[in-house]
Amino acid sequence: MGGVVRVRRENSPWANRGRKFRILIDGIEVGRIGNRETIEWPVPAGDISIGARIDWVGSPTLQAEVEEGDVVSFTVGNGDPLALIGRTDRYLTLKQG
């Protein structure tokens, strides 16, 4: 059986509004999420890693535990645009909850 990972994308007021972010669970792209979308993916119970990417930049990778029947929620959005020249894992934000 397993659980569900739910990702909600915040409104992008300018940058990336028309572009989709790639969502990766355990390093594998499971889908793409558009502006203001919410998408769910079934996952096996246990520990997972999750991240978001757009081009060569993205979010920090988060770790979470998914229990049988659980829905684990995350929110993704635009982060620091200066990350293009520095910490490329800060261009997008990813928060659990």
Side-chain angles (χ1 to χ4, degrees):
M1 179 87 177
V4 171
V5 168
R6 177 183 295 145
V7 178
R8 179 181 67 84
R9 180 170 163 188
E10 296 175 334
N11 184 35
S12 296
W14 51 277
N16 304 317
R17 175 176 253 168
R19 301 184 68 203
K20 293 191 173 195
F21 300 165
R22 293 180 290 132
I23 304 299
L24 294 91
I25 297 177
D26 293 333
I28 298 168
E29 184 177 325
V30 294
R32 294 173 182 241
I33 190 167
N35 197 44
R36 293 185 174 179
E37 265 189 316
T38 299
I39 302 179
E40 296 182 347
W41 294 275
V43 295
D47 294 330
I48 64 158
S49 64
I50 183 168
R53 308 275 311 158
I54 186 168
D55 299 329
W56 70 96
V57 293
S59 72
T61 300
L62 301 182
Q63 307 296 319
E65 183 178 353
V66 179
E67 294 187 13
E68 198 73 33
D70 271 0
V71 176
V72 182
S73 296
F74 297 89
T75 302
V76 64
N78 285 330
D80 181 4
L82 295 178
L84 289 170
I85 57 173
R87 295 280 314 264
T88 59
D89 67 340
R90 300 286 186 241
Y91 186 74
L92 301 176
T93 61
L94 182 64
K95 301 173 277 191
Q96 187 173 352

